[in-house]
């Protein structure tokens, strides 16, 4: 190769590889949880999760999925004409490029929420995103995975969700509420595991103990009984 050829090769642009994410599904539905409950929402469900909570209702998102360019995801979201977008999983933060998607959705003007397990670092999430972060109670089988340092990165518009499968889970959640002053950080949501704790029973525990938490049920389960794509 001549010196001239080498010079030309060094200045030839390298093909840009599209930023991609592995996606299980993108769908338009009604938000069934957290502070955006009831709003028409586009859900972007990323594939993969390092946790195995015993009560998980989205195991189908652990494997498979397909690669989508982030710009194509944005185009699909835009086609539904919504204001609210929820990035979920699986565990969306298990894919590092999720942070790019979140930022681009915020830049496009959407109200963006992120459903995350609380086991992975949330410090780099765009501050415009509403983080809905789990704290895993003992009956989940994954409470040892709680990354407690995440609490320092929560903002007032974020939410902590504790899914409760038993009275023991409730006692644990009540203790964490006090120990970590959770309600002083952001909204705290207590949610019963479907079929494990009667919703009315959990509501009565909260009332009896006068807890500063928001009781929630999963609206989408009431409407569509856990069908995929809802």
């Amino acid at each position: 190769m001549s010196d001239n050829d080498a010079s030309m090769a060094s200045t030839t642009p390298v093909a840009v590889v599209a930023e991609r994410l592995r996606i299980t599904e993108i769908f338009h539905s009604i938000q069934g949880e957290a502070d955006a409950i009831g709003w028409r929402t586009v859900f972007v469900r990323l594939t993969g999760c390092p946790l195995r909570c015993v009560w998980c209702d989205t195991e189908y998102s652990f494997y498979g999925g397909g690669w989508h360019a982030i710009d194509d995801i944005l185009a699909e979201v835009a086609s539904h004409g919504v204001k609210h977008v929820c990035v979920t999983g699986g565990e969306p933060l298990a894919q590092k490029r999720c942070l790019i998607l979140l930022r681009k959705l915020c830049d496009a003007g959407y109200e963006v929420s992120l459903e995350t397990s609380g086991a992975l670092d949330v410090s780099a999430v765009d501050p415009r995103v509403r983080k809905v972060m789990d704290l895993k109670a003992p009956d989940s089988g994954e409470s040892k995975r709680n990354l407690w340092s995440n609490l320092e990165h929560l903002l007032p518009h974020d939410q902590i969700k504790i899914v409760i499968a038993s009275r023991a889970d409730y006692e644990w959640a009540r203790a964490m509420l006090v120990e970590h002053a959770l309600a002083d950080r952001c909204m705290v949501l207590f949610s019963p595991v479907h079929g494990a704790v009667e919703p009315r029973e959990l509501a009565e525990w909260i009332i009896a103990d006068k807890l500063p938490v928001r009781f929630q049920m999963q609206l989408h389960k009431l409407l569509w009984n856990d069908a995929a794509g809802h």
Side-chain angles (χ1 to χ4, degrees), residues 13-28:
V14 177
V16 176
V17 177
E19 295 166 333
R20 301 190 304 165
L21 288 165
R22 187 177 286 278
I23 301 294
T24 293
E25 57 186 349
I26 301 174
F27 60 95
H28 177 206

Side-chain angles (χ1 to χ4, degrees), residues 181-219:
L182 299 180
D184 293 336
R185 298 176 184 274
C186 62
M187 183 188 301
V188 180
L189 309 164
F190 278 16
S191 181
V193 173
H194 185 69
V197 173
E198 285 296 323
R200 185 173 70 180
E201 189 173 32
L202 175 57
E204 288 174 348
W205 295 341
I206 292 169
I207 293 167
D209 289 334
K210 301 179 181 177
L211 298 187
V213 303
R214 185 173 180 176
F215 170 84
Q216 71 164 11
M217 294 177 62
Q218 294 176 300
L219 180 60

Side-chain angles (χ1 to χ4, degrees), residues 1 22 51 98 110 125 139 169 172:
M1 179 184 290
R22 187 177 286 278
L51 281 73
C98 177
Y110 295 106
V125 173
D139 282 0
D169 272 0
W172 179 89

Side-chain angles (χ1 to χ4, degrees), residues 31-38 115 161 191 216-220:
Q31 175 58 268
E33 301 184 79
D35 70 343
I37 190 168
E115 295 184 344
K161 182 176 71 173
S191 181
Q216 71 164 11
M217 294 177 62
Q218 294 176 300
L219 180 60
H220 49 286

Side-chain angles (χ1 to χ4, degrees), residues 108-121:
Y110 295 106
E111 293 283 343
V112 182
S113 62
L114 168 72
E115 295 184 344
T116 180
S117 65
L120 299 182
D121 182 18

Side-chain angles (χ1 to χ4, degrees), residues 33-56:
E33 301 184 79
D35 70 343
I37 190 168
W39 286 112
R40 282 195 309 115
T41 300
V42 169
F43 294 83
V44 181
R45 188 180 303 283
L46 276 63
T47 304
C49 184
L51 281 73
R52 292 295 182 267
C53 299
V54 298
W55 38 250
C56 182

